[in-house]
């Protein structure tokens, strides 16, 4: 039994431009060294670039027979595609360590998806960060790209270790 107190869940303030909690969370994940205005410029620039790409080729932004017109809908759908459902955690049982697949809480799913998107966007060289974030979001919306590959790898690892699922507690 844990001796620590319950973790206080902070409400994320809404971002000023889109009035969206999701965009505010993205800004906080992208932010480095407390430079929030730089992070806001990156995220808002990425959303603007997604909107430009939607105008260039609207046929790429169709989901469930319905064309998406709002770039925030595309961002939300892309992040939904990025979220992992299960992950592998190690459990020590009787001196042996087992990789056990466990379901992921909703807030951790969002955090992992945004962290992976930021990592892969910053690893892209030859383009600015807003363009790189936009490319990652568009790729994730279309079900491809680095973040989707990472999510699939996590899911494969969990599927490969289903035999140890009875150790999850």
């Amino acid at each position: 039994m844990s001796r620590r107190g319950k973790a206080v869940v902070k409400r994320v303030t809404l971002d000023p431009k889109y009035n969206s909690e999701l965009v505010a969370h993205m800004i906080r994940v992208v932010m480095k060294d407390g430079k929030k205005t730089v992070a806001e410029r990156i995220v808002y620039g990425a959303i603007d670039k997604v909107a430009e790409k939607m105008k260039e080729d609207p046929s790429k932004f169709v989901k469930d027979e319905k064309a998406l017109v709002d770039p925030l809908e595309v961002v939300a759908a892309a992040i939904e595609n990025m979220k992992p459902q299960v992950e592998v955690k190690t459990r020590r049982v009787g001196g042996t360590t087992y990789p056990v697949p466990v379901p992921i809480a909703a807030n951790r799913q969002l955090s992992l998806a945004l962290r992976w998107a930021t990592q892969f966007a910053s690893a892209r060289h030859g383009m600015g960060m807003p363009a790189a974030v936009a490319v990652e979001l568009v790729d994730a919306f279309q079900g491809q790209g680095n973040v989707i590959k990472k999510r699939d790898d996590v899911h494969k690892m969990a599927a490969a270790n289903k035999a140890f699922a009875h150790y999850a507690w």
Side-chain angles (χ1 to χ4, degrees):
M1 189 163 151
S2 176
R3 295 174 188 226
R4 293 177 51 172
K6 290 279 186 190
V8 177
V9 178
K10 293 181 186 174
R11 293 288 299 160
V12 176
T13 56
L14 303 177
D15 79 292
K17 187 172 181 180
Y18 293 104
N19 208 22
S20 166
E21 196 172 301
L22 181 64
V23 174
H25 199 107
M26 270 182 79
I27 289 169
R28 288 180 184 261
V29 172
V30 169
M31 182 171 53
K32 276 186 169 179
D33 299 326
K35 298 186 178 189
K36 194 169 183 179
T37 54
V38 173
E40 284 175 346
R41 221 174 305 135
I42 289 169
V43 172
Y44 293 151
I47 293 172
D48 292 343
K49 291 203 184 293
V50 168
E52 287 173 18
K53 289 182 185 203
M54 289 175 69
K55 287 179 184 158
E56 288 173 11
D57 190 7
S59 63
K60 288 184 179 179
F61 298 95
V62 177
K63 189 158 181 107
D64 301 331
E65 309 300 323
K66 180 184 147 217
L68 299 177
V69 291
D70 185 21
L72 284 184
E73 291 177 3
V74 173
V75 170
I79 290 172
E80 200 60 40
N81 285 348
M82 288 188 247
K83 290 181 180 178
Q85 304 301 315
V86 291
E87 68 180 341
V88 175
K89 290 200 173 193
T90 55
R91 296 277 189 249
R92 190 165 170 85
V93 179
T96 308
T97 305
Y98 297 105
V100 178
V102 293
I104 305 177
N107 58 351
R108 180 158 168 78
Q109 288 179 5
L110 178 63
S111 295
L112 284 173
L114 292 176
R115 189 181 318 148
W116 293 342
T118 303
Q119 284 174 349
F120 287 119
S122 64
R124 284 181 183 260
H125 297 293
M127 61 175 72
M129 189 65 173
V133 171
V135 167
E136 288 296 334
L137 289 172
V138 171
D139 283 351
F141 177 78
Q142 294 169 349
Q144 56 195 16
N146 296 327
V147 180
I148 300 299
K149 184 180 181 312
K150 172 84 169 172
R151 183 206 62 193
D152 290 343
D153 290 346
V154 168
H155 283 181
K156 281 180 194 170
M157 182 83 76
N161 289 297
K162 265 189 184 172
F164 304 119
H166 63 283
Y167 287 126
W169 59 76

